[in-house]
Amino acid sequence: IVFRRGKKIMELCPISLTESAISHVSSILAENSDVNLRLRIYVSGGGCSGLQYGMALDTEVDPDDTIFDHEGVAIILSAYDQKYLLGSIVDFIDTPMGGGFKVTNPNAVKSCGCGSSFSVEDDVAGKTITGGCGSCSR
C-alpha cells in the first residue's frame, strides 16, 4: 500500500527487507512511542564509490516522498532515492564483530570494499557516477 498525500494506493515497494531487517527495524520502532515514526532509506553523495546508503527514523514526509508498507514496516523513499534503490534488498547482519544493515543493489555498477558506497550508470550522459573519499581501494 502506498500513501500519497493521505490517499492509499496499491503499489509494490521498490525495495525489499529481509526477515532479519524487518525484525531489527520493528524492534527499534517498538521502543519509540511516536506512531508517525518511519524508516527513511536514502542515497546521498559521498563514500568511496560516489554514492552512499543511509537510513534514519523520520516523521517528516516531503512532497516527493512515498510511504510504502513492507510487511508492517513503513518505509519513506523520495523519488530520487527510488531511482537508485529500485530492486535493492536490505538485510541486517549480526556477527561477533557487530551488526549492521547491508544493501544489495542491482543498480550498482561498482561498489567499494567496505560495501557502504556504490556507483551507478548515469542514465542521461551514460557515464558512471563516481567520487569518493579515497579511504577504500577501488
Side-chain angles (χ1 to χ4, degrees):
I1 299 173
V2 177
F3 298 90
R4 285 200 182 120
R5 297 186 186 125
K7 292 195 275 183
K8 283 186 182 182
I9 301 170
M10 295 301 290
E11 189 175 320
L12 292 175
C13 188
I15 64 168
S16 299
L17 275 66
T18 64
E19 287 183 30
S20 178
I22 291 168
S23 175
H24 192 73
V25 171
S26 295
S27 68
I28 292 170
L29 292 172
E31 293 173 4
N32 292 281
S33 59
D34 191 342
V35 296
N36 294 314
L37 201 58
R38 300 170 182 103
L39 176 65
R40 179 178 292 278
I41 302 174
Y42 60 93
V43 171
S44 62
C48 308
S49 295
L51 297 170
Q52 60 189 357
Y53 303 108
M55 294 182 202
L57 299 179
D58 201 348
T59 57
E60 299 294 319
V61 180
D62 297 325
D64 75 329
D65 289 341
T66 303
I67 303 170
F68 295 92
D69 179 274
H70 181 71
E71 298 188 34
V73 175
I75 301 170
I76 303 172
L77 294 171
S78 73
Y80 173 83
D81 298 324
Q82 287 182 52
K83 173 182 172 182
Y84 294 111
L85 295 171
L86 181 65
S88 293
I89 300 170
V90 178
D91 193 10
F92 183 78
I93 309 293
D94 196 12
T95 69
M97 299 299 289
F101 289 97
K102 177 185 176 195
V103 179
T104 303
N105 187 341
N107 305 300
V109 295
K110 183 170 115 178
S111 297
C112 72
C114 63
S116 64
S117 67
F118 65 103
S119 297
V120 295
E121 194 77 17
D122 184 335
D123 59 346
V124 175
K127 297 179 181 175
T128 301
I129 299 173
T130 61
C133 61
S135 65
C136 292
S137 60
R138 297 181 203 189

